[in-house]
Amino acid sequence: MSENPRAFAPGFLFGAATAAYQIEGAAFEDGRTASIWDTFSREPGAVLHGDTGDVACDHYHRYPADVAMMRELGLDTYRFSVSWARVRPDGGAVNQKGLDFYKRLVDELRENDILPWLTLYHWDLPQAIEDRGGWTARSTAEQFTEYALSVHDALGDRVQNWTTLNEPWCSSFLSYTAGIHAPGRTSVEDGLLAAHHLLLGHGQTVRALRGRDASLDLGITLNLTVAEPVDAEVPADVDAARRIDGQFNRWFLDPIFRGSYPADIVADLRAVDPDAVVALERATRPGDFEAISTPLDALGVNYYHGELLSGHPRPGGGDPHQTAGQQRATRSPFPSKEGIHWVERGLPRTGMGWEVQPEGLTRLLVHVANDYAGDVPLYVTENGAAYDDDVSAGGEVADVERTEFLRAHVAATLDAIEQGVDVRGYFYWSLMDNYEWAWGYAKRFGIVRVDYETQQRTIKQSGAEYARIIAARSV
């Protein structure tokens, strides 16, 4: 604990986050059918060790105990996602058993004075919809809104805070261009079309939900980075940072807040794959950007690390984004990457190989608030670190590095608030160890350890520290 603790304002929300496919298990129970991750995880070499989310943390059956654990930690709020494949299997009719699970979960949260924070899409598209084109098809945006309204039919009287999409950069470029995430496609055109239809589905859904209930708090969550040139006086370095900022941040921030894609990145992409840009232009219809830029009540910011960039190869260079899909790491998630080089700066690294840069979170929040969000409140909806846990003979987990990471990033959030940014909440990723996408169960982000053989949960040192921060409401 700091010798001079700084306090958060009353009403600031401390929470933790998870995603349906990563924790629920019960993959084919009570009417749930395959999502793209059920399919992708079974493809040879797609996921480390061939792991699947069939059981994961068995949260579907253990949610009452998990909510009790949240209460023990003192969480104000819990961010979870709803499985489209559970609620509308195969993209078809509503599955009442699937909806009933989320009713029970939300009721359990409310009974424990934990605010439910619902995410409609965290990457688990029904496989049947993918078979009909997935996010490259405009019809998927329409089906997404239909699915969202089905969830609202069941939970609209119980849930105030709704997020449409989690990290559309991942569910478009990582998924349809890089092949690192499900469905594993490797096409620049498919990535661009997927990004557009994800954003269109977001905008249409915000409109539809607001039309039903103007009192809802509606938003989207974007994973963003701080892209810096090694030398601000070297044009090639500046250009490398511009391109990553454009492809990673501005490709989503600009249409949401400014009603268009960034012209410089469109030009970059046209030079790399002109047919892909033509396909995107043909897919963009009048009124699309008006829908995409529908005003928000909240913007979620996911931050894990920044990046130092050069236009020339340098000693110690690497690409942190390629580590996320180990077997497919040679495929770039960026449609336009030639001449971009990642440079190490000697910072500590997490178990994912990502640099630990808390002050980057402060700068990112200031930048997003000043240049985009304006009066829209910000929430840090994901921030966390994977490390290899050292479990004592008695079962305790003294995860010193994660504890320091958590404390430093909560403090960085408060730094942004003290600089005038309207940040209203912080969600640690993740509540508990879980299925970490292409890494399977090999990477642990949780403040709660999960023994996957017994499903025993153990609050780590980082979880105890987070509970202390929440109770003190200071860092």
Side-chain angles (χ1 to χ4, degrees), residues 153-171:
D153 287 340
L155 301 177
D157 62 338
R158 294 169 166 87
V159 178
Q160 176 73 23
N161 299 92
W162 295 70
T163 297
T164 54
L165 308 175
N166 179 78
E167 300 184 349
W169 181 86
C170 292
S171 47

Side-chain angles (χ1 to χ4, degrees), residues 89-348:
D90 299 331
V94 170
N95 174 34
Q96 191 59 48
K97 288 184 177 180
L99 279 174
D100 286 346
F101 166 70
Y102 295 106
K103 287 182 180 180
R104 295 192 300 272
L105 172 61
V106 168
D107 288 348
E108 193 79 19
L109 291 166
R110 289 166 60 91
E111 288 170 9
N112 284 274
D113 297 320
I114 298 170
L115 179 72
W117 194 289
L118 187 152
T119 298
L120 285 161
Y121 187 70
H122 201 133
W123 310 349
D124 46 1
L125 182 72
Q127 180 61 43
I129 296 180
E130 172 61 25
D131 292 341
R132 297 191 290 270
W135 284 109
T136 66
R138 190 179 185 91
S139 58
T140 302
E142 309 293 341
Q143 287 185 279
F144 176 65
T145 301
E146 293 172 3
Y147 149 69
L149 293 177
S150 298
V151 178
H152 183 265
D153 287 340
L155 301 177
D157 62 338
R158 294 169 166 87
V159 178
Q160 176 73 23
N161 299 92
W162 295 70
T163 297
T164 54
L165 308 175
N166 179 78
E167 300 184 349
W169 181 86
C170 292
S171 47
S172 56
F173 294 128
L174 274 187
S175 303
Y176 285 85
T177 295
I180 292 172
H181 280 186
R185 297 203 216 175
T186 53
S187 161
V188 172
E189 178 178 320
D190 287 354
L192 293 174
L193 293 175
H196 184 71
H197 294 139
L198 281 156
L199 287 171
L200 180 62
H202 151 75
Q204 291 176 342
T205 297
V206 170
R207 282 183 171 181
L209 290 174
R210 187 166 288 143
R212 283 191 170 192
D213 185 351
S215 71
L216 298 178
D217 288 319
L218 305 173
I220 188 172
T221 280
L222 305 177
N223 55 316
L224 303 173
T225 190
V226 178
E228 303 175 75
V230 170
D231 189 335
E233 301 299 319
V234 175
D237 291 1
V238 173
D239 189 63
R242 173 195 65 81
R243 289 159 64 193
I244 292 304
D245 175 58
Q247 294 178 32
F248 204 92
N249 296 337
R250 291 186 285 124
W251 194 260
F252 298 94
L253 285 167
D254 277 23
I256 291 170
F257 288 101
R258 298 175 180 172
S260 65
Y261 292 119
D264 62 317
I265 303 303
V266 173
D268 289 345
L269 294 170
R270 198 183 302 275
V272 172
D273 193 332
D275 291 342
V277 175
V278 170
L280 173 63
E281 291 169 341
R282 288 175 177 168
T284 305
R285 299 180 184 175
D288 281 6
F289 285 118
E290 287 78 4
I292 292 168
S293 59
T294 300
L296 302 176
D297 302 304
L299 175 66
V301 174
N302 291 359
Y303 172 82
Y304 289 91
H305 61 84
E307 18 223 337
L308 187 64
L309 299 148
S310 176
H312 305 286
R314 292 172 184 261
D319 183 347
H321 298 287
Q322 291 189 336
T323 64
Q326 189 174 28
Q327 280 72 34
R328 300 179 178 216
T330 57
R331 301 176 184 172
S332 167
F334 299 104
S336 173
K337 183 186 172 187
E338 184 178 353
I340 298 175
H341 302 274
W342 280 260
V343 178
E344 297 183 12
R345 52 191 130 192
L347 297 174

Side-chain angles (χ1 to χ4, degrees), residues 55 61-62 95 144 196 208 219 448 468:
V55 177
H61 300 113
R62 300 170 184 266
N95 174 34
F144 176 65
H196 184 71
V448 174
R468 185 201 65 76

Side-chain angles (χ1 to χ4, degrees), residues 385-397:
Y387 292 103
D388 294 331
D389 291 336
D390 186 9
V391 185
S392 74
E396 296 86 5
V397 181

